Amino acid sequence: MAAALVGGSPTARAQQAPRVTDPALTDPGYAARKLRQFQATTPAQPAPGTVRRSINPPGTPLPACFEPLDKTTYTPVPRNDDGSLGPIALGFDFFLFGTAYNSVYINTNGNITFDAPFSGFVPAGFPIATPMIAAFWNDVDTRTPATGTRGQAWYRLYNDRLVVTWDSVGRFPTLTDFKNTFQIKLFANAGGALAEDVQFAYGDMQWATATGGSVGGFGGPGTTVGVNEGGGGGRFIQTGRFALDGNAYVDNTSDSGVDYLDYKCIGFRVFNAGNQPPAVSGL
């Protein structure tokens, strides 16, 4: 949350215990309505097994920037669809384009927000009104317990950073034929001296979209990747929109192939308005 928020001191509000905010818990008809909408707007999906994509290609290690996920020290985000966990007190200030925040919400749909939880599952291109850090904003669904300890989001808070990892997550509605693994790191950046204060890291990215015309994980509204100031400001950095199979990258607004993200590290400097363009490694 921003340090200037009204309605309680920043310290008091940051110390609230994190809780799950899930529209399906407060609205009994939410899940059924969403599924009906999906069925009405989405063509028939390929039969299971007729489309195959790589799963953890042998010999392909995670990039060096990908912080190992130790599930004995990380906290799981409860399984949900369109839910959030927060506020999570950072213990440090994180400056996003000049605004200081000291707590965050981890949203299942591949992003982090600051002022409030965010349940939006149809991605839009930046800029938007919500301050957001989005490694992979699309309709992630972690409700399938059959995936064991995988297929959900995990986080760990350090003295100088927050690490959130989406581990082999599927897409709506509880589809786990293809899985994505990616990570967001937010660094304490009050001094403004860091070369990169946000990092995205990717493993094998097997699906690009989930709703609004997606067939087999492709097509429909493209996944948004980037950082967005929100509020009254219009600053943002958008790495791309990803809706297609393959690794072809067009530009940061047109539909590109999700495999462009495979095993990459993308770093941003967002401390103030003089941010640097994103740095990409693993090409």
Side-chain angles (χ1 to χ4, degrees):
M1 66 191 64
L5 276 176
V6 296
S9 72
T11 300
R13 300 189 69 180
Q15 291 175 347
Q16 296 177 30
R19 62 185 180 89
V20 174
T21 304
D22 186 344
L25 297 178
T26 56
D27 179 358
Y30 178 87
R33 289 197 310 273
K34 183 179 175 185
L35 183 59
R36 286 196 299 270
Q37 180 185 13
F38 171 83
Q39 293 169 337
T41 59
T42 303
Q45 300 298 298
T50 60
V51 179
R52 297 184 181 274
R53 286 177 55 77
S54 61
I55 298 176
N56 298 325
T60 307
L62 291 170
C65 69
F66 204 108
E67 194 152 320
L69 172 58
D70 178 0
K71 293 176 182 177
T72 65
T73 58
Y74 278 60
T75 300
V77 176
R79 295 181 182 276
N80 67 81
D81 176 49
D82 304 335
S84 307
L85 181 66
I88 296 170
L90 294 173
F92 55 79
D93 281 340
F94 174 78
F95 285 80
L96 178 62
F97 297 110
T99 299
Y101 297 96
N102 53 36
S103 67
V104 301
Y105 293 84
I106 299 172
N107 305 307
T108 292
N109 289 330
N111 62 75
I112 289 172
T113 51
F114 300 91
D115 293 335
F118 186 83
S119 62
F121 58 88
V122 179
F126 291 156
I128 61 173
T130 302
M132 178 183 288
I133 307 292
F136 194 84
W137 175 20
N138 212 300
D139 201 354
V140 176
D141 192 337
T142 64
R143 293 175 294 171
T144 308
T147 52
T149 61
R150 307 196 76 178
Q152 67 187 115
W154 299 74
Y155 78 95
R156 183 173 178 182
L157 187 63
Y158 296 85
N159 289 335
D160 65 340
R161 67 196 185 280
L162 169 70
V163 183
V164 186
T165 301
W166 284 259
D167 178 40
S168 298
V169 294
R171 66 191 191 281
F172 183 84
T174 63
L175 296 172
T176 57
D177 49 349
F178 303 139
K179 305 175 183 69
N180 287 346
T181 295
F182 56 95
Q183 185 177 84
I184 296 176
K185 284 188 279 189
L186 298 186
F187 290 88
N189 63 352
L194 297 177
E196 297 176 356
D197 36 30
V198 175
Q199 289 181 352
F200 299 161
Y202 298 90
D204 186 21
M205 304 297 286
Q206 300 174 1
W207 62 270
T209 62
T211 55
S214 172
V215 179
F218 304 98
T223 292
T224 300
V225 174
V227 293
N228 180 74
E229 178 181 17
R235 290 181 286 256
F236 68 96
I237 306 172
Q238 184 166 282
T239 299
R241 304 291 306 279
F242 299 90
L244 307 177
D245 198 352
N247 59 8
Y249 182 81
V250 182
D251 55 43
N252 70 330
T253 58
S254 304
D255 286 346
S256 295
V258 72
D259 292 311
Y260 171 83
L261 298 173
D262 282 358
Y263 305 104
K264 282 191 175 61
C265 307
I266 303 177
F268 306 86
R269 188 174 193 272
V270 299
F271 173 74
N272 56 29
N275 62 80
Q276 300 294 318
V280 181
S281 63
L283 295 175

